[in-house]
Amino acid sequence: MENLNSVCYVGTIGEVKSIEGADNIELTIVNGWNAITKKGEYTEGDLVVVATTDAVIPQKLSDELGVTSYLRKGQRVRTIKLRKVYSECLIIPIEFVPEKYRYDGSDCMELLEVFKYDPPVKMVQLSGGRKFKYHQNPNFKVYYKFPNQKNVPDMFNNEDEVVITRKLHGTNARYGIVRKKKLSLWDHVKVLFGNQWAAFEYVYGSHNVEKGSDSQGFYDTDVWKTVSDTYDIRGKLWAHVKDTYEPFNLTEGVVIYGEIYGVGIQKNYEYGLTDVKFVGFDVEVDSEYQPYINETVHFDCLQLPQVELLYQGNWNIEEQDKYVFGNFIEGTKVPHEGIVVKSVTGDRRKVSKVINPDYSIYSEKNNVGDSH
């Protein structure tokens, strides 16, 4: 595929199945995506355009397709379950794209003016009253955005050793000790007199936005800072990094990534908690994501919780599906969001998410908040 995170692309129909008890509809499968379509409308091998769950469809296009009333609020493709069968995408006839774009994997988002829904970014304010939207230390990297496995169904095979972890629905968080973007005069003096760590700083933030740093100040209150204070992440990170590395051996720094979840984080999806919790799920050192065993060592040394490990071993679809379907938050009938599957080596080419379709249905019916 041209864009592994595309929500609208050309695919080939791999299979068309009948639906038990249905005379006028059938199940059409493109890569790993399921769609309920009119009987006889498509056949195996047809090229079609697939718009996946949470793709936002322009109303002009949805009106032309006659599907506007089937979309969820905001013109978004929804997941539904009909006669015990999931439909997770919208299939658009290939005739809607020019001939030169009619090939497997062609990204049609810009062409059809389709985009992936993202919650709006809010302006934020520092304790001194200064407002800004984005401010990023280049060494404080945004977390890698890995694809939905349905877009890359051949990513794993039975020879791949993987870990499967629980995907939590909260808000992304990152915390790091990284080289400063610019040294102050006082920083230069400290370095000159042997304090090489003066060239580094503690930084924290959400997925996209740097929320605060030693050199630029911190917000009055936000959930990322609250978690940092509660878990003493700043103190633990400084101690761990100084104990593990020499400053001249770090070109960029160390960043940990995790999820904040619980009360007030995602509407109507609070895991039965009465507070807010943090779990880590990745570690990056000098722009290199760490192998799983190293990641575990880092979180153990930091004395910070790590996301739940469900399985480690050679990948197979049957084992994977055990942790997707029929999985509920403990003590509830609320479906888990899904799982993350990644190579034990930390290779970013081998990591993807699998979303539980029951969660997609539940989240719409119960107006669950969107991921940050």
Side-chain angles (χ1 to χ4, degrees):
M1 281 181 60
E2 294 175 336
N3 176 6
L4 295 183
N5 287 299
S6 178
V7 294
C8 185
Y9 62 91
V10 174
T12 302
I13 293 177
E15 193 173 2
V16 178
K17 293 181 176 181
S18 60
I19 298 174
E20 186 177 350
D23 297 326
N24 301 314
I25 56 175
E26 54 194 359
L27 182 65
T28 301
I29 303 173
V30 185
N31 292 340
W33 293 99
N34 297 334
I36 295 174
T37 57
K38 293 178 183 177
K39 202 159 195 174
E41 188 173 12
Y42 299 106
T43 59
E44 185 177 328
D46 285 350
L47 274 180
V48 294
V49 178
V50 181
T52 65
T53 295
D54 273 345
V56 179
I57 310 297
Q59 187 164 344
K60 181 180 178 181
L61 175 59
S62 65
D63 286 346
E64 195 170 350
L65 292 167
V67 299
T68 300
S69 62
Y70 296 99
L71 300 176
R72 67 183 294 187
K73 184 179 179 181
Q75 290 288 117
R76 293 155 63 187
V77 176
R78 71 196 331 166
T79 297
I80 63 171
K81 189 175 184 180
L82 186 63
R83 294 186 180 274
K84 299 182 180 181
V85 172
Y86 296 104
S87 184
E88 308 158 302
C89 66
L90 171 67
I91 290 184
I92 302 170
I94 195 66
E95 290 74 23
F96 277 78
V97 299
E99 192 166 346
K100 67 177 181 178
Y101 297 102
R102 297 178 188 177
Y103 56 88
D104 214 334
S106 173
D107 186 6
C108 298
M109 290 177 66
E110 184 175 352
L111 186 67
L112 295 179
E113 298 181 342
V114 171
F115 60 92
K116 185 182 187 303
Y117 175 80
D118 278 312
V121 176
K122 297 179 180 178
M123 290 294 291
V124 292
Q125 186 168 334
L126 291 177
S127 56
R130 179 168 60 91
K131 291 184 177 181
F132 68 98
K133 194 171 184 179
Y134 289 88
H135 186 80
Q136 189 75 31
N137 181 322
N139 295 319
F140 189 52
K141 301 291 174 50
V142 171
Y143 186 60
Y144 172 74
K145 191 173 184 179
F146 48 80
N148 190 308
Q149 198 178 103
K150 289 179 180 293
N151 285 351
V152 282
D154 299 322
M155 175 176 282
F156 297 107
N157 60 53
N158 292 349
E159 295 181 359
D160 289 316
E161 187 179 354
V162 301
V163 290
I164 297 177
T165 57
R166 179 65 64 204
K167 187 177 188 306
L168 295 172
H169 186 55
T171 186
N172 274 180
R174 53 195 168 122
Y175 302 91
I177 303 296
V178 298
R179 282 193 179 272
K180 294 177 179 176
K181 184 178 180 180
K182 185 179 180 180
L183 298 186
S184 67
L185 177 61
W186 185 234
D187 290 330
H188 281 293
V189 171
K190 288 180 179 179
V191 171
L192 182 64
F193 281 89
N195 182 6
Q196 299 297 317
W197 287 113
F200 290 78
E201 65 177 335
Y202 171 71
V203 190
Y204 78 90
S206 63
H207 176 77
N208 287 315
V209 182
E210 184 178 305
K211 297 289 186 179
S213 66
D214 287 337
S215 62
Q216 297 172 52
F218 300 91
Y219 293 17
D220 282 329
T221 57
D222 62 45
V223 70
W224 298 272
K225 186 175 187 302
T226 298
V227 164
S228 176
D229 293 343
T230 301
Y231 287 83
D232 187 25
I233 293 177
R234 183 177 184 273
K236 290 176 178 178
L237 260 178
W238 267 120
H240 174 60
V241 171
K242 287 181 176 180
D243 187 56
T244 308
Y245 302 98
E246 295 293 338
F248 50 81
N249 287 333
L250 284 176
T251 57
E252 296 178 11
V254 179
V255 181
I256 64 171
Y257 301 92
E259 194 82 357
I260 298 170
Y261 65 104
V263 172
I265 303 300
Q266 293 293 352
K267 183 179 178 182
N268 297 329
Y269 205 82
E270 298 182 334
Y271 290 87
L273 298 174
T274 57
D275 57 359
V276 169
K277 293 188 179 296
F278 169 83
V279 291
F281 53 63
D282 247 322
V283 177
E284 187 182 55
V285 179
D286 287 345
S287 291
E288 292 288 333
Y289 286 95
Q290 299 299 288
Y292 182 73
I293 188 170
N294 293 12
E295 172 195 322
T296 299
V297 169
H298 278 290
F299 283 116
D300 282 348
C301 291
L302 287 164
Q303 297 183 337
L304 292 174
Q306 190 177 7
V307 69
E308 179 186 5
L309 175 65
L310 302 171
Y311 170 79
Q312 181 171 353
N314 284 18
W315 180 88
N316 69 79
I317 190 65
E318 293 80 13
E319 190 67 35
Q320 176 177 286
D321 285 350
K322 287 181 186 177
Y323 306 106
V324 178
F325 302 101
N327 280 256
F328 301 89
I329 295 172
E330 186 176 358
T332 76
K333 294 184 179 180
V334 178
H336 270 296
E337 184 185 16
I339 59 173
V340 174
V341 186
K342 64 180 182 180
S343 168
V344 295
T345 65
D347 185 350
R348 292 298 101 171
R349 295 170 299 177
K350 292 277 190 176
V351 55
S352 59
K353 61 186 176 184
V354 184
I355 302 300
N356 178 359
D358 286 322
Y359 163 79
S360 298
I361 295 169
Y362 175 90
S363 66
E364 181 180 352
K365 286 183 176 179
N366 294 276
N367 195 26
V368 172
D370 293 288
S371 295
H372 289 66

